[in-house]
Amino acid sequence: MLWRGGRQSSNIEDRRGMRVGTGLVGGGLGGLILLLISLYFGVDPSAIFNRGTAVDVSGPASTSPADQETKDFVATLVGYTEDTWSDLFQRSGQTYRAPKLVLFNGAVESACGFAQAAMGPFYCPDDERVYLDMSFFQELRDRFHAPGDFAQAYVIAHEVGHHVQKLLSIADQVERIQGRASKSEGNRASVRLELQADCFAGVWANHTERMQQSQMKGFLESGDVDEALRAATMIGDDRLQMQSRGYVVPESFTHGTAEQRSGWFKKGLDSGMVSDCNTFETGTP
Ligand SMILES: [Zn+2]
């Protein structure tokens, strides 16, 4: 991915080095459940958040050159999502309100509650922020065997996709469905929401590439798309469940299978049309 020299977003909140109240962190069953559930790019996982209060106990984290590089990468990526989604919203007569991205270490307090890095990156609709512990990128590479900068770009684009769902009031509708549905119906709605965020990430990649090309710049390099598809595949519910339990329980899927996730990303990437991301209207996503 050619990202150096791109505009960096100013919507980055660096909360690394801030600690949250330790009385609430990692204790007993709560902590165990958090680790077991590990959300992998969930949206508003408030059901399993503990409540805590942020306490600033130290100054900003000392930043290594590698961390600074990753932060620059993230800020540039967020900048790309702002440019692309602003343009797409404008074309349909709407205004894009950009989310903020919060960088944190270990644990963080969001408007959706307290979260730990082990849960993976997430989007909180209540404060319109994406939360990211950059160490997740190492996990993506080492634990999920999905290396590459475009695998990381996909993660951020997916989370921003959840923000787009909020702006389009799609997330609200799903919440209403989940409020009156059975557990497995609720899970199916969650899968559709997640797959749509994957598709939106693909739409974003399509348009960002086009916008960069129109300015005589490249963006995607060969192998990039494969990196994203690989990441989407490696974090499929079926694959994760097989790895952790040795069997899969489709009713408990909340994000979609490896095939579905990579398939919907590809669909968005190929078509570039938000309207092609209607995961709610297909019989099976
Ligand atoms: Zn998600």
Side-chain angles (χ1 to χ4, degrees), residues 127-144:
D127 57 20
E128 300 195 349
R129 279 166 169 74
V130 171
Y131 290 84
L132 172 71
D133 183 324
M134 295 192 300
S135 67
F136 181 75
F137 291 155
Q138 281 146 42
E139 208 175 328
L140 199 59
R141 184 191 63 206
D142 300 335
R143 181 165 157 217
F144 299 113

Side-chain angles (χ1 to χ4, degrees), residues 2-40:
L2 300 166
W3 61 273
R4 282 182 184 78
R7 179 183 73 83
Q8 292 189 15
S9 169
S10 54
N11 286 313
I12 307 293
E13 273 179 31
D14 197 343
R15 294 197 210 159
R16 291 175 299 163
M18 283 175 75
R19 300 257 170 82
V20 288
T22 48
L24 297 131
V25 181
L29 193 58
L32 183 66
I33 291 171
L34 288 183
L35 285 173
L36 286 176
I37 292 179
S38 275
L39 288 161
Y40 309 112

Side-chain angles (χ1 to χ4, degrees), residues 168-229:
L168 299 178
S169 303
I170 297 165
D172 285 357
Q173 291 165 24
V174 170
E175 227 167 85
R176 274 198 294 278
I177 294 171
Q178 287 174 329
R180 52 168 197 261
S182 69
K183 180 91 179 133
S184 61
E185 280 170 329
N187 286 345
R188 276 201 292 279
S190 164
V191 167
R192 289 171 193 272
L193 198 66
E194 293 302 328
L195 294 176
Q196 187 177 58
D198 286 333
C199 188
F200 283 175
V203 169
W204 163 79
N206 175 305
H207 282 273
T208 305
E209 174 66 6
R210 277 202 242 174
M211 283 173 82
Q212 292 297 307
Q213 278 182 356
S214 71
Q215 297 164 34
M216 308 301 280
K217 284 184 270 188
F219 165 62
L220 293 176
E221 296 178 290
S222 85
D224 277 350
V225 169
D226 288 341
E227 287 173 4
L229 289 173

Side-chain angles (χ1 to χ4, degrees), residues 41-42 158 162 194:
F41 321 167
H158 171 99
H162 283 311
E194 293 302 328

